[in-house]
Amino acid sequence: MTFQTFHDYPDLASRALAGSVIWASDEAFAEKENLITPGDAEFDPGAFGHKGKVYDGWETRRRRGAEIGGFDSAIIRLGIPGEIHGITVDTSWFTGNFPPQIAVWGICVHELHTGEEMAQIPDAEWFPLVPLFDARGDHKHDFDVSERRRVSHVRLDMIPDGGITRLRVHGIPRPKLAFLTGTIDLAAAEYGGRVIDCSNRFYSSPDNILGLGRSRNMGEGWENARRRSGDNDYVTVQLAGEGVIRRVEMDTSYFLHNAPDEAELIGIAADGTETTVIPRARVLPDTRHYYAVEGAASGPFTSVRLNVFPDGGLSRLRIFGELTENGFETLRSVY
């Protein structure tokens, strides 16, 4: 299945990619950090605390008196700076307390700033990602984003107050070029690698295999459905840029009874030529597999395709190597 919508790009704000909600004007009823929690918001109709109804989202107090005329905001530092292609603002479960209007802004800063420092940046320096819109309660609002500037932080405004459960910021990672020198994981999301095709994502997203660190359970990997036909499953990864592969790690940790039986890795050059990087070989469950790559099998390649036979999941895929000069030049052209 080739990807068609902005939802198929990584969520650059996700906590799974080290996104962080660094500031909010108010979080009297529900914490700002809930905005970027992986997965859909949950709701327990019987859950009440000392402050009122417990929500799996961000909820502010009702504005009164001198606060009337203002509005609430939250600032999110993206885990990976990038080029934004789409945003989802989710008000699920907020029915009588959702904000009437919402807007989303972006900015790119090159140094680390505290939330308080980011909140002091003048409005004129933020550019619109999602212009002010009339919001609906208990609804996922999807917006295509045409602004192609690099974004490091987003500001979520709700006017005047209320609750929002989740914010998703989907796009193409654009890390600093200085971080792409030497031997790196060419497939890692933090360096710009991304899944561009996948045969099946029934149980969990293939994006997980490019995530930070090691998985903590099977749910943090890619798991496909049980295949009943005679072909096989696969996932195709666009590398951070054209690169030469030195070694590969394929990790089936936590996949005890549903790892692939066999696997192979195919390298794909800029002109579409395919070369076998790792020949089809046996795969063990709950195991980190390492492969050294030499000669023509090392590329250069712009993407790789992992074929698993006949099906089965894995936790992580690491493609270690170096960008070519052409890879660097291509990346410079989009910054």
Side-chain angles (χ1 to χ4, degrees):
M1 60 179 69
T2 55
F3 295 164
Q4 302 292 330
T5 73
F6 72 74
H7 297 96
D8 299 316
Y9 291 99
D11 176 9
L12 304 181
S14 173
R15 178 60 86 176
L17 287 179
S20 178
V21 186
I22 61 174
W23 179 85
S25 57
D26 183 271
E27 49 183 331
F29 287 112
E31 293 79 8
K32 62 186 185 299
E33 286 81 9
N34 291 331
L35 283 169
I36 60 172
T37 301
D40 290 338
E42 299 179 352
F43 182 73
D44 180 354
F48 284 85
H50 291 294
K51 297 180 181 180
K53 184 73 190 72
V54 175
Y55 278 96
D56 180 13
W58 170 47
E59 186 185 8
T60 64
R61 73 190 73 203
R62 302 186 189 212
R63 288 184 167 266
R64 297 284 191 249
E67 295 180 321
I68 294 177
F71 58 89
D72 286 314
S73 299
I75 296 176
I76 296 90
R77 183 179 62 237
L78 302 183
I80 308 168
E83 177 185 292
I84 310 307
H85 283 245
I87 287 176
T88 298
V89 182
D90 188 358
T91 59
S92 292
W93 308 114
F94 286 108
T95 54
N97 48 357
F98 63 92
Q101 294 184 305
I102 298 172
V104 185
W105 305 79
I107 197 171
C108 184
V109 297
H110 299 287
E111 293 79 28
L112 288 176
H113 293 283
T114 66
E116 289 73 18
E117 291 168 344
M118 291 297 300
Q120 296 304 311
I121 294 178
D123 288 349
E125 296 186 30
W126 296 82
F127 47 85
L129 296 174
V130 177
L132 187 69
F133 67 93
D134 293 332
R136 296 167 55 188
D138 197 24
H139 183 75
K140 291 184 179 181
H141 306 79
D142 287 337
F143 298 93
D144 289 302
V145 175
S146 58
E147 176 60 64
R148 288 293 177 261
R149 279 185 278 182
R150 186 169 178 265
V151 176
S152 64
H153 296 68
V154 297
R155 192 183 79 200
L156 175 63
D157 292 346
M158 56 181 178
I159 301 169
D161 53 42
I164 296 171
T165 51
R166 296 288 188 268
L167 177 71
R168 305 303 188 204
V169 183
H170 297 277
I172 299 176
R174 299 293 188 204
K176 291 183 178 179
L177 290 177
F179 298 157
L180 302 180
T181 59
T183 300
I184 63 171
D185 179 2
L186 296 168
E190 63 180 318
Y191 297 131
R194 62 188 181 94
V195 172
I196 57 174
D197 195 10
C198 179
S199 59
N200 186 283
R201 54 194 302 168
F202 187 86
Y203 288 108
S204 52
S205 172
D207 292 333
N208 292 341
I209 66 175
L210 310 183
L212 299 175
R214 298 193 64 202
S215 64
R216 295 170 297 178
N217 53 57
M218 193 173 67
E220 294 185 356
W222 166 51
E223 184 183 1
N224 45 56
R226 300 191 184 201
R227 182 167 288 273
R228 306 304 187 188
S229 59
D231 48 5
N232 67 280
D233 282 310
Y234 63 86
V235 59
T236 304
V237 177
Q238 182 172 302
L239 303 179
E242 182 184 75
V244 175
I245 300 174
R246 304 300 182 189
R247 64 185 189 275
V248 172
E249 177 186 340
M250 186 178 66
D251 186 0
T252 60
S253 292
Y254 300 104
F255 286 86
L256 298 174
H257 305 289
N258 49 4
D261 184 52
E262 296 179 310
E264 68 178 357
L265 187 70
I266 305 297
I268 306 171
D271 64 1
T273 302
E274 296 189 0
T275 302
T276 299
V277 178
I278 299 173
R280 183 169 172 172
R282 180 187 180 194
V283 173
L284 298 178
D286 198 25
T287 300
R288 298 173 76 183
H289 304 72
Y290 297 94
Y291 309 88
V293 181
E294 298 177 342
S298 62
F301 303 116
T302 56
S303 59
V304 296
R305 183 178 68 252
L306 178 69
N307 293 321
V308 295
F309 302 93
D311 54 30
L314 68 153
S315 301
R316 295 290 186 267
L317 177 67
R318 305 300 191 199
I319 309 293
F320 295 102
E322 299 90 38
L323 289 174
T324 64
E325 185 57 36
N326 182 61
F328 266 111
E329 289 303 319
T330 301
L331 290 174
R332 286 192 186 100
S333 69
V334 299
Y335 279 77

